[in-house]
Amino acid sequence: MLNRRHALGLLAAASFLPSRALANVAPQRSEIRDSLAKRFADDDTVGTFVGYKTDDYLIIASDADRSGQAFLPASTYKIPNSLIALETGVVQDPDRDVFKWDGVRRSIEAWNQDHTLRSAIAASAVPVYQEIARRIGVERMQKYVDLFEYGNRNIGGGIDQFWLTGDLRIDPIQQIDFVDRLRRGVLPVSKRSQDLVRDILPVTRAGDATIRAKTGLLGAELGKPSLGWVVGWVEKGSAQTVFALNLDVREPRHVAARMKLAQQCLADIGAI
């Protein structure tokens, strides 16, 4: 019997990732909708959106190419980094353990203060998560990246840089696979760690739907954003949809456009 993860993997292999195509895989429920790609074009950028309607094992994507293209995860890596921090004891309590500001004033004002894990993920505070990664260390970080089967599993390029400027890469289908396992609480870490990370994920309300998601912005720490991510899931009644979006940041307004486009695409597929 197929579990959800196997179904997702087969859908990806059959439909959206030609380089990974499997022989003798029966056609699965999947769709490519050009109207979703038009959302990016209308905003004068290029990007991709993939939604996974969990009750139906249905993947809906904006395209067949970029949906399988891997990029640096940027701050979407704060999701696994938080899990590893809790699982290893680097963080015991996401609301009580405090990471003191190092006194270095950075261009993003929300970073220039003390943070807990909860406030750091909300502010997407890169310096806090770099310190967390250093405390976790290379050996433990690699262990959990392997256990999570996260992207290409390559943490080369520095323990506090590998998700920002280093060698880690992940594609939208892989993002959905990882986030879906967190949503269901089936990652190979404790229930407590998964419950806490689900709880600290930033929440956006869209009508009667709840979006739990993490953004990422490649180059944010340098003040030169080039690629934006949003990954997470939507809860609307009993229905849940896992999604991943990325886009090229061609203009400053595209930073804010990430969530706007995600909500438009989610509405287009009936998720919100």
Side-chain angles (χ1 to χ4, degrees):
M1 180 177 178
L2 280 180
N3 63 29
R4 288 178 181 269
R5 189 171 182 217
H6 290 153
L8 178 59
L10 291 177
L11 283 168
S15 304
F16 301 127
L17 303 180
S19 64
R20 301 179 191 172
L22 303 178
N24 302 317
V25 173
Q28 303 291 322
R29 295 200 62 213
S30 55
E31 301 174 12
I32 294 175
R33 294 189 186 175
D34 294 338
S35 59
L36 296 172
K38 188 175 183 297
R39 290 287 190 184
F40 296 94
D42 288 347
D43 222 333
D44 297 320
T45 187
V46 295
T48 189
F49 171 86
V50 184
Y52 173 44
K53 305 195 88 169
T54 63
D55 288 342
D56 304 323
Y57 294 155
L58 171 63
I59 291 180
I60 304 171
S62 62
D63 63 275
D65 296 320
R66 184 160 170 151
S67 59
Q69 184 177 349
F71 297 91
L72 279 156
S75 283
T76 65
Y77 188 74
K78 287 184 172 69
I79 303 175
N81 209 358
S82 297
L83 284 166
I84 299 166
L86 289 161
E87 194 69 8
T88 57
V90 165
V91 175
Q92 297 282 345
D93 188 315
D95 295 302
R96 295 186 178 180
D97 292 10
V98 175
F99 291 83
K100 302 293 290 184
W101 177 40
D102 61 8
V104 177
R105 185 157 293 279
R106 298 172 175 88
S107 59
I108 299 175
E109 189 58 38
W111 295 1
N112 301 324
Q113 62 187 59
D114 297 349
H115 277 288
T116 62
L117 192 67
R118 186 184 298 276
S119 68
I121 199 168
S124 206
V126 168
V128 173
Y129 276 88
Q130 289 180 307
E131 175 60 23
I132 286 171
R134 288 190 289 267
R135 294 186 190 182
I136 291 169
V138 173
E139 185 175 342
R140 291 192 294 182
M141 188 72 80
Q142 186 67 67
K143 170 189 171 182
Y144 283 99
V145 168
D146 286 340
L147 282 172
F148 294 160
E149 301 179 40
Y150 188 89
N152 66 357
R153 311 187 198 185
N154 188 339
I155 66 168
I159 186 59
D160 57 4
Q161 289 291 331
F162 65 86
W163 69 93
L164 300 169
T165 61
D167 299 327
L168 187 62
R169 298 290 186 276
I170 191 166
D171 66 46
I173 294 289
Q174 291 170 327
Q175 289 270 29
I176 285 175
D177 170 44
F178 174 74
V179 169
D180 186 55
R181 285 181 285 150
L182 171 63
R183 178 188 68 87
R184 293 184 290 120
V186 297
L187 287 166
V189 290
S190 68
K191 180 180 183 297
R192 175 181 183 271
S193 295
Q194 293 178 84
D195 287 347
L196 286 172
V197 172
R198 285 196 299 271
D199 183 61
I200 67 173
L201 272 178
V203 171
T204 301
R205 307 291 180 186
D208 58 353
T210 300
I211 303 172
R212 302 182 190 279
K214 184 69 194 77
T215 57
L217 194 60
L218 204 60
E221 73 284 357
L222 305 174
K224 298 178 180 179
S226 59
L227 177 84
W229 280 103
V230 188
V231 303
W233 70 91
V234 184
E235 303 164 354
K236 183 180 180 181
S238 62
Q240 300 199 18
T241 302
V242 188
F243 71 94
L245 172 148
N246 67 50
L247 57 79
D248 290 352
V249 177
R250 295 178 171 177
E251 303 175 33
R253 65 185 178 84
H254 289 144
V255 174
R258 291 172 294 171
M259 185 56 80
K260 178 195 75 173
L261 282 166
Q263 290 192 38
Q264 288 175 339
C265 291
L266 287 165
D268 289 346
I269 68 170
I272 62 174

